[in-house]
Amino acid sequence: MSLRSRGAESSSKNVVSRRLTIFLCVGCFCAGMLFTDRMWVLPEAKDTSWSTGESSQKLKLVSDDSDPKADVKGDSRTLDKTISDLEMKLAAARSTQDSLLSGPPLNQDLKISDLTKKRKYLMVVGINTAFSSRKRRDSLRATWMLQGDKRKRLEEEKGIIIRFVIGHSATSGGILDRAIEAEDKKHGDFLRLEHVEGYLELSAKTKTYFTTAVALWDADFYVKVDDDVHVNIATLGSTLARHRSKPRVYIGCMKSGPVLARKGVRYYEPEYWKFGEQGNRYFRHATGQLYAISKELATYISINQHLLHRFANEDVSLGSWFIGLDVEHIDDRRLCCGTPPDCEWKAQAGNICVASFDWSCSGICNSADRIKEVHRRCGEGENALWHSDS
C-alpha cells in the first residue's frame, strides 16, 4: 500500500475518534445534569413547598384573628387565675403537711386513705362543745343530730358531715380526756383538735377547727354551731347550696355590737382601743351561735393560721380575718330565730328556721332539758332531710 493511502486512512480514523469523544462528552454531561437534578433539585423543591404551606397556614391564622392583643390579654388573665388557684392549693397542702408532720399521731378521722382519696361533700358541721357538756351532747343526739347508720347515710347520700368539736385538757391524758375518748368510742361522732380547751381560747379553737376540717374533708362549706342551738339540717343544707357558685361567702346573722371597754363585764374586749374611741361599735360580723364559710375562706384560714390575730371574742376574730378580702357577707335571719313561739310561727307559715336559740342566753336557755320541745315544735322532720335536693 502506498504512503498516501495510509495517511488518508489514519486521517479518517482521527476524525471518527474526535467525533466519538465529543459525543461521549455530551452524553456524560447530560447524564450528569439528569443525576444532579434528581438528587438535589427535587428535595429542595419539596422543602420549599412545605415551607410555603406552613407560612400560608400561619398567615391564615393571623388574618383570622381580628384582635390578637385581646386574646393575649384574655389568656394572660386566665393563666393568672389558674396560677393563683394552684398557689392556694399548694399552700394549703403544705400547711396540712406541716401540721401533720409537726403534730402528734393522727386521730381516727385523719387517716392516710382519707387524705388521698377525698370525695366532695356539701358541708362540714362542727358543733363546738366542752368537757362539761355531756348532757347537751346527748340532747342533740336525741334530736337533730343523726346517729349510727343514719349518720353514715347522711354522709354518703347527702354529703353532710356532723361532728362534735373538742380539744384536749390542760393535763393531756387526764380524766377529762379519757371521758371524751370513752364517749367517742361509743358514738364515733367527735373531731378532736390539737388545742387546749378554755373559754378564753375560743378564737384559737375556731381557727384550729377550720384548719383541721379543711384538711380532713373537701367540702363546699364549713359550719360552726354551738351545742345549745337547735338546727334544721336539711334547711341549712338547702340554704348553703344556693350559694355554691360563689367562691368567697361568709353566711350568718350579721351584727355590729358595741365594743365593751369596761373590765369585768361579759364580752369585755381587752383590745378595745384598736377600734377607736370608746363607744364605737365592731365591724359587721356573724353572730357566734351559727355561721358558715366557703371552702376558699377556710383554706385561707388554714394557710395563714399563724398570722391571723385573735381577739377576745371568736365571732369578732372570724369577722376580722376577712376584712380587706373580697368576701361576700350574707345576712340570713333564718340562722338566728328565737325559740317557740317565734320559730313555730315561722314554720307554720312555711318559712322554716335554720337555727333557733334564745338571745338572752346566747343559746337555748337550759338547752339540755328544753331542746326536745323546741325540736318537736320547730323541727323540719326527718323526711325533709332525705327528700331535700341539697
PDB file of all heavy atoms in Angstrom, residues 88-89 91-92 210 214 222 293-304:
ATOM      1  N   MET A  88     -52.749  28.634  95.859  1.00  0.00           N
ATOM      2  CA  MET A  88     -53.533  28.464  97.077  1.00  0.00           C
ATOM      3  C   MET A  88     -53.627  26.990  97.456  1.00  0.00           C
ATOM      4  O   MET A  88     -53.479  26.624  98.621  1.00  0.00           O
ATOM      5  CB  MET A  88     -54.937  29.062  96.893  1.00  0.00           C
ATOM      6  CG  MET A  88     -55.845  28.851  98.088  1.00  0.00           C
ATOM      7  SD  MET A  88     -57.347  29.831  98.043  1.00  0.00           S
ATOM      8  CE  MET A  88     -56.694  31.440  98.487  1.00  0.00           C
ATOM      9  N   LYS A  89     -53.858  26.134  96.455  1.00  0.00           N
ATOM     10  CA  LYS A  89     -53.950  24.699  96.744  1.00  0.00           C
ATOM     11  C   LYS A  89     -52.607  24.164  97.255  1.00  0.00           C
ATOM     12  O   LYS A  89     -52.569  23.341  98.175  1.00  0.00           O
ATOM     13  CB  LYS A  89     -54.385  23.938  95.490  1.00  0.00           C
ATOM     14  CG  LYS A  89     -55.828  24.207  95.080  1.00  0.00           C
ATOM     15  CD  LYS A  89     -56.182  23.462  93.797  1.00  0.00           C
ATOM     16  CE  LYS A  89     -57.626  23.750  93.392  1.00  0.00           C
ATOM     17  NZ  LYS A  89     -57.999  23.065  92.125  1.00  0.00           N
ATOM     18  N   ALA A  91     -50.259  25.892  98.785  1.00  0.00           N
ATOM     19  CA  ALA A  91     -50.035  26.412 100.134  1.00  0.00           C
ATOM     20  C   ALA A  91     -50.864  25.653 101.162  1.00  0.00           C
ATOM     21  O   ALA A  91     -50.403  25.353 102.263  1.00  0.00           O
ATOM     22  CB  ALA A  91     -50.359  27.903 100.179  1.00  0.00           C
ATOM     23  N   ALA A  92     -52.112  25.323 100.775  1.00  0.00           N
ATOM     24  CA  ALA A  92     -52.961  24.555 101.692  1.00  0.00           C
ATOM     25  C   ALA A  92     -52.379  23.170 101.927  1.00  0.00           C
ATOM     26  O   ALA A  92     -52.375  22.662 103.054  1.00  0.00           O
ATOM     27  CB  ALA A  92     -54.373  24.447 101.119  1.00  0.00           C
ATOM     28  N   PHE A 210     -61.293  25.081 111.685  1.00  0.00           N
ATOM     29  CA  PHE A 210     -61.358  25.255 110.236  1.00  0.00           C
ATOM     30  C   PHE A 210     -60.124  24.665 109.564  1.00  0.00           C
ATOM     31  O   PHE A 210     -60.224  24.047 108.500  1.00  0.00           O
ATOM     32  CB  PHE A 210     -61.511  26.728 109.879  1.00  0.00           C
ATOM     33  CG  PHE A 210     -62.894  27.276 110.122  1.00  0.00           C
ATOM     34  CD1 PHE A 210     -63.095  28.365 110.951  1.00  0.00           C
ATOM     35  CD2 PHE A 210     -63.998  26.699 109.521  1.00  0.00           C
ATOM     36  CE1 PHE A 210     -64.359  28.870 111.177  1.00  0.00           C
ATOM     37  CE2 PHE A 210     -65.275  27.185 109.737  1.00  0.00           C
ATOM     38  CZ  PHE A 210     -65.455  28.275 110.581  1.00  0.00           C
ATOM     39  N   VAL A 214     -60.760  21.497 106.958  1.00  0.00           N
ATOM     40  CA  VAL A 214     -60.463  21.630 105.532  1.00  0.00           C
ATOM     41  C   VAL A 214     -59.397  20.626 105.104  1.00  0.00           C
ATOM     42  O   VAL A 214     -59.312  20.249 103.930  1.00  0.00           O
ATOM     43  CB  VAL A 214     -60.041  23.080 105.204  1.00  0.00           C
ATOM     44  CG1 VAL A 214     -58.590  23.343 105.564  1.00  0.00           C
ATOM     45  CG2 VAL A 214     -60.289  23.400 103.736  1.00  0.00           C
ATOM     46  N   TYR A 222     -68.068  25.109 105.403  1.00  0.00           N
ATOM     47  CA  TYR A 222     -67.679  24.665 106.741  1.00  0.00           C
ATOM     48  C   TYR A 222     -68.467  25.501 107.749  1.00  0.00           C
ATOM     49  O   TYR A 222     -68.429  26.734 107.710  1.00  0.00           O
ATOM     50  CB  TYR A 222     -66.168  24.820 106.928  1.00  0.00           C
ATOM     51  CG  TYR A 222     -65.383  23.968 105.948  1.00  0.00           C
ATOM     52  CD1 TYR A 222     -65.104  24.439 104.665  1.00  0.00           C
ATOM     53  CD2 TYR A 222     -64.972  22.684 106.286  1.00  0.00           C
ATOM     54  CE1 TYR A 222     -64.424  23.654 103.748  1.00  0.00           C
ATOM     55  CE2 TYR A 222     -64.292  21.891 105.375  1.00  0.00           C
ATOM     56  CZ  TYR A 222     -64.019  22.377 104.117  1.00  0.00           C
ATOM     57  OH  TYR A 222     -63.357  21.591 103.210  1.00  0.00           O
ATOM     58  N   ILE A 293     -68.798  29.360 106.282  1.00  0.00           N
ATOM     59  CA  ILE A 293     -67.882  29.981 105.333  1.00  0.00           C
ATOM     60  C   ILE A 293     -67.606  28.999 104.199  1.00  0.00           C
ATOM     61  O   ILE A 293     -67.689  27.783 104.376  1.00  0.00           O
ATOM     62  CB  ILE A 293     -66.558  30.419 105.993  1.00  0.00           C
ATOM     63  CG1 ILE A 293     -65.808  29.211 106.574  1.00  0.00           C
ATOM     64  CG2 ILE A 293     -66.811  31.469 107.061  1.00  0.00           C
ATOM     65  CD1 ILE A 293     -64.424  29.562 107.138  1.00  0.00           C
ATOM     66  N   SER A 294     -67.282  29.529 103.041  1.00  0.00           N
ATOM     67  CA  SER A 294     -66.983  28.681 101.887  1.00  0.00           C
ATOM     68  C   SER A 294     -65.587  28.093 102.005  1.00  0.00           C
ATOM     69  O   SER A 294     -64.772  28.508 102.831  1.00  0.00           O
ATOM     70  CB  SER A 294     -67.113  29.493 100.594  1.00  0.00           C
ATOM     71  OG  SER A 294     -66.239  30.610 100.627  1.00  0.00           O
ATOM     72  N   LYS A 295     -65.315  27.119 101.139  1.00  0.00           N
ATOM     73  CA  LYS A 295     -64.045  26.394 101.210  1.00  0.00           C
ATOM     74  C   LYS A 295     -62.849  27.325 101.024  1.00  0.00           C
ATOM     75  O   LYS A 295     -61.824  27.179 101.699  1.00  0.00           O
ATOM     76  CB  LYS A 295     -64.010  25.292 100.151  1.00  0.00           C
ATOM     77  CG  LYS A 295     -62.697  24.518 100.169  1.00  0.00           C
ATOM     78  CD  LYS A 295     -62.615  23.501  99.061  1.00  0.00           C
ATOM     79  CE  LYS A 295     -61.258  22.804  99.084  1.00  0.00           C
ATOM     80  NZ  LYS A 295     -61.116  21.795  98.022  1.00  0.00           N
ATOM     81  N   GLU A 296     -62.965  28.289 100.111  1.00  0.00           N
ATOM     82  CA  GLU A 296     -61.828  29.162  99.835  1.00  0.00           C
ATOM     83  C   GLU A 296     -61.441  29.963 101.074  1.00  0.00           C
ATOM     84  O   GLU A 296     -60.251  30.200 101.326  1.00  0.00           O
ATOM     85  CB  GLU A 296     -62.152  30.092  98.663  1.00  0.00           C
ATOM     86  CG  GLU A 296     -60.938  30.791  98.099  1.00  0.00           C
ATOM     87  CD  GLU A 296     -61.185  31.403  96.742  1.00  0.00           C
ATOM     88  OE1 GLU A 296     -61.853  30.769  95.911  1.00  0.00           O
ATOM     89  OE2 GLU A 296     -60.692  32.528  96.519  1.00  0.00           O
ATOM     90  N   LEU A 297     -62.432  30.367 101.875  1.00  0.00           N
ATOM     91  CA  LEU A 297     -62.137  31.116 103.093  1.00  0.00           C
ATOM     92  C   LEU A 297     -61.546  30.202 104.166  1.00  0.00           C
ATOM     93  O   LEU A 297     -60.642  30.605 104.904  1.00  0.00           O
ATOM     94  CB  LEU A 297     -63.408  31.798 103.605  1.00  0.00           C
ATOM     95  CG  LEU A 297     -63.975  32.901 102.706  1.00  0.00           C
ATOM     96  CD1 LEU A 297     -65.197  33.545 103.355  1.00  0.00           C
ATOM     97  CD2 LEU A 297     -62.919  33.954 102.388  1.00  0.00           C
ATOM     98  N   ALA A 298     -62.071  28.984 104.259  1.00  0.00           N
ATOM     99  CA  ALA A 298     -61.494  28.033 105.214  1.00  0.00           C
ATOM    100  C   ALA A 298     -60.048  27.719 104.852  1.00  0.00           C
ATOM    101  O   ALA A 298     -59.181  27.587 105.726  1.00  0.00           O
ATOM    102  CB  ALA A 298     -62.334  26.750 105.248  1.00  0.00           C
ATOM    103  N   THR A 299     -59.767  27.612 103.551  1.00  0.00           N
ATOM    104  CA  THR A 299     -58.405  27.372 103.093  1.00  0.00           C
ATOM    105  C   THR A 299     -57.507  28.566 103.412  1.00  0.00           C
ATOM    106  O   THR A 299     -56.344  28.397 103.809  1.00  0.00           O
ATOM    107  CB  THR A 299     -58.391  27.098 101.578  1.00  0.00           C
ATOM    108  OG1 THR A 299     -59.250  25.986 101.289  1.00  0.00           O
ATOM    109  CG2 THR A 299     -56.985  26.786 101.082  1.00  0.00           C
ATOM    110  N   TYR A 300     -58.058  29.757 103.262  1.00  0.00           N
ATOM    111  CA  TYR A 300     -57.302  30.970 103.596  1.00  0.00           C
ATOM    112  C   TYR A 300     -56.906  30.963 105.074  1.00  0.00           C
ATOM    113  O   TYR A 300     -55.768  31.301 105.424  1.00  0.00           O
ATOM    114  CB  TYR A 300     -58.158  32.197 103.275  1.00  0.00           C
ATOM    115  CG  TYR A 300     -57.587  33.497 103.798  1.00  0.00           C
ATOM    116  CD1 TYR A 300     -56.585  34.170 103.110  1.00  0.00           C
ATOM    117  CD2 TYR A 300     -58.052  34.049 104.989  1.00  0.00           C
ATOM    118  CE1 TYR A 300     -56.055  35.356 103.596  1.00  0.00           C
ATOM    119  CE2 TYR A 300     -57.534  35.232 105.481  1.00  0.00           C
ATOM    120  CZ  TYR A 300     -56.541  35.890 104.779  1.00  0.00           C
ATOM    121  OH  TYR A 300     -56.020  37.058 105.263  1.00  0.00           O
ATOM    122  N   ILE A 301     -57.847  30.573 105.952  1.00  0.00           N
ATOM    123  CA  ILE A 301     -57.547  30.498 107.380  1.00  0.00           C
ATOM    124  C   ILE A 301     -56.455  29.465 107.631  1.00  0.00           C
ATOM    125  O   ILE A 301     -55.529  29.685 108.424  1.00  0.00           O
ATOM    126  CB  ILE A 301     -58.813  30.166 108.179  1.00  0.00           C
ATOM    127  CG1 ILE A 301     -59.814  31.323 108.096  1.00  0.00           C
ATOM    128  CG2 ILE A 301     -58.486  29.859 109.645  1.00  0.00           C
ATOM    129  CD1 ILE A 301     -61.162  31.031 108.725  1.00  0.00           C
ATOM    130  N   SER A 302     -56.552  28.322 106.954  1.00  0.00           N
ATOM    131  CA  SER A 302     -55.563  27.266 107.135  1.00  0.00           C
ATOM    132  C   SER A 302     -54.164  27.726 106.733  1.00  0.00           C
ATOM    133  O   SER A 302     -53.182  27.486 107.439  1.00  0.00           O
ATOM    134  CB  SER A 302     -55.965  26.034 106.316  1.00  0.00           C
ATOM    135  OG  SER A 302     -54.990  25.026 106.378  1.00  0.00           O
ATOM    136  N   ILE A 303     -54.069  28.415 105.606  1.00  0.00           N
ATOM    137  CA  ILE A 303     -52.774  28.857 105.104  1.00  0.00           C
ATOM    138  C   ILE A 303     -52.152  29.910 106.023  1.00  0.00           C
ATOM    139  O   ILE A 303     -50.947  29.893 106.290  1.00  0.00           O
ATOM    140  CB  ILE A 303     -52.922  29.416 103.675  1.00  0.00           C
ATOM    141  CG1 ILE A 303     -53.336  28.306 102.705  1.00  0.00           C
ATOM    142  CG2 ILE A 303     -51.619  30.073 103.209  1.00  0.00           C
ATOM    143  CD1 ILE A 303     -53.703  28.798 101.326  1.00  0.00           C
ATOM    144  N   ASN A 304     -52.995  30.821 106.517  1.00  0.00           N
ATOM    145  CA  ASN A 304     -52.498  31.969 107.279  1.00  0.00           C
ATOM    146  C   ASN A 304     -52.742  31.858 108.781  1.00  0.00           C
ATOM    147  O   ASN A 304     -52.725  32.869 109.489  1.00  0.00           O
ATOM    148  CB  ASN A 304     -53.158  33.250 106.745  1.00  0.00           C
ATOM    149  CG  ASN A 304     -52.852  33.490 105.288  1.00  0.00           C
ATOM    150  OD1 ASN A 304     -51.766  33.925 104.931  1.00  0.00           O
ATOM    151  ND2 ASN A 304     -53.815  33.193 104.435  1.00  0.00           N
TER     152      ASN A 304
END
